[in-house]
Amino acid sequence: MEDVRTFLHFGVLLSSVLFTIGAAGEDDFPEAMDVQWVSNNFKTILTWGPEPTNYTYTVEFSRVGKDRQRNPHCIRSSRTECDLTNELRNLQETYSADILSEPLPGVTSDLVEFPYTRAERFSPYKHTKIGGPAFKIVQSEDKTKMTLHIQDPLTPLYKNDQLLTIRDIFKSDLKYRVIYNKAGSTGKKEKMSDLRDVELTNLDKGQSYCVIVAAYIPSRSAQKRLGDWSKAQCSPRENKTIFEEFSFGVISGAIGIMLAIFIILITLTVVCCKRCCCKKTKTVDKDNLQMSPV
């Protein structure tokens, strides 16, 4: 009888231990890692890892010091990103965000607080990356001036049913940095402009110039002021006649060299012809001597 009781006590204890281990395993939700804000032209997405297996992620965000909110598309989700573009509408505010690791939908847990990872604080106005702008080059008639017509990059944000550009948001805080140089040359010049139409003057007539442009926000921290550079564009090179391309001295020198080469070739030809004629004459004379009777 005593052995039976001991066996029953051992069974109950073992069951309790196994239940505790199983419950702990069910409530084991790994924290999110590599949390990053990915924001381009105010399109803002929060990303993290790893891919969940038997759990989900929920994103909570708020303006610093305000109540936390949730995006309905990022609650108990198996995805590892959350688009918060439309939630971060107060662009100059600073936001914080947490990624909570939670059980699968319909599964309960005894945890009072779920594991979470906090993202770095983020301000769309200060931190979003500005993409390289598109632009067109228009040359003046005398080819000594170029005008760049820059297109302000669009954002995904709307106001009065119209897409906003970065100028609508940054206003007078937006500038454009322009770097240009002669095609094939390493010497570069730089110009800063508050306007979308940028004039480059005092250019060498007929030369092709290559240009790149980037947005510049002076109110930002040094590392965030400059946006991405645009693709390089080059103005067309003017087709010149030989007399426009080279000076009179260069042309005269080239003609003199060509004449000298021509004279040398003629002289060599004449000399070679004379030698050949002399050899033929000597050969004929020898043949005549051999054929004459003694």
Side-chain angles (χ1 to χ4, degrees):
M1 189 68 178
E2 192 68 29
D3 292 339
V4 173
R5 287 180 179 177
T6 302
F7 180 77
L8 289 175
H9 282 299
F10 177 77
V12 171
L13 179 62
L14 180 61
S15 298
S16 299
V17 171
L18 292 175
F19 178 80
T20 302
I21 294 173
E26 290 177 358
D27 288 343
D28 182 21
F29 308 122
E31 295 180 358
M33 302 172 63
D34 300 323
V35 180
Q36 298 181 43
W37 294 98
V38 179
S39 185
N40 294 283
N41 294 343
F42 295 97
K43 173 76 172 178
T44 302
I45 298 175
L46 188 63
T47 66
W48 63 88
E51 295 285 343
T53 50
N54 60 341
Y55 63 99
T56 59
Y57 292 114
T58 295
V59 174
E60 292 184 346
F61 66 95
S62 70
R63 284 185 285 168
V64 173
K66 303 295 182 179
D67 294 336
R68 304 195 76 74
Q69 305 174 55
R70 290 186 173 189
N71 181 320
H73 301 291
C74 306
I75 297 176
R76 293 205 175 185
S77 170
S78 59
R79 295 181 300 175
T80 55
E81 64 176 35
C82 182
D83 190 340
L84 296 174
T85 301
N86 292 322
E87 279 71 25
L88 311 184
R89 300 290 298 187
N90 295 310
L91 301 176
Q92 297 200 34
E93 294 284 349
T94 300
Y95 293 85
S96 65
D98 293 339
I99 297 95
L100 286 70
S101 301
E102 297 184 323
L104 296 167
V107 178
T108 59
S109 173
D110 292 331
L111 291 179
V112 177
E113 183 176 334
F114 293 106
Y116 67 91
T117 302
R118 179 157 294 172
E120 293 183 358
R121 291 186 174 184
F122 175 80
S123 170
Y125 191 93
K126 296 178 180 178
H127 299 138
T128 194
K129 183 182 291 187
I130 307 300
F135 65 94
K136 294 181 179 179
I137 297 176
V138 177
Q139 287 183 305
S140 62
E141 291 185 4
D142 62 2
K143 310 299 183 183
T144 61
K145 183 177 73 173
M146 290 194 310
T147 302
L148 310 181
H149 298 290
I150 304 171
Q151 297 178 8
D152 296 324
L154 290 171
T155 75
L157 306 176
Y158 281 86
K159 184 176 182 180
N160 298 328
D161 296 328
Q162 288 189 341
L163 280 173
L164 299 178
T165 67
I166 62 170
R167 186 172 296 278
D168 295 324
I169 296 169
F170 290 115
K171 299 186 185 329
S172 61
D173 201 17
L174 172 63
K175 302 181 186 300
Y176 283 111
R177 184 179 176 186
V178 177
I179 292 180
Y180 61 102
N181 61 281
K182 291 181 184 179
S185 171
T186 56
K188 297 182 179 180
K189 294 183 179 181
E190 181 178 329
K191 184 169 184 177
M192 195 77 73
S193 175
D194 298 329
L195 306 175
R196 289 183 300 177
D197 297 332
V198 184
E199 288 189 351
L200 305 179
T201 58
N202 299 322
L203 305 179
D204 292 342
K205 185 177 180 179
Q207 289 290 331
S208 173
Y209 284 82
C210 296
V211 184
I212 54 175
V213 181
Y216 185 81
I217 315 299
S219 66
R220 287 182 164 189
S221 63
Q223 294 180 342
K224 299 290 184 179
R225 289 175 187 166
L226 191 65
D228 290 339
W229 287 105
S230 67
K231 293 182 179 179
Q233 290 192 47
C234 299
S235 62
R237 183 182 179 88
E238 184 181 0
N239 293 324
K240 294 182 177 181
T241 66
I242 189 172
F243 298 102
E244 293 176 324
E245 187 74 24
F246 301 101
S247 67
F248 177 77
V250 173
I251 295 174
S252 299
I255 293 174
I257 293 172
M258 292 174 66
L259 285 173
I261 294 173
F262 183 69
I263 292 170
I264 292 171
L265 289 174
I266 291 176
T267 303
L268 291 174
T269 303
V270 170
V271 171
C272 290
C273 288
K274 285 184 176 180
R275 288 182 177 179
C276 289
C277 289
C278 289
K279 287 182 179 179
K280 287 182 180 180
T281 302
K282 289 180 180 180
T283 303
V284 171
D285 291 341
K286 288 181 179 180
D287 290 341
N288 290 335
L289 288 173
Q290 292 176 358
M291 292 176 65
S292 60
V294 178

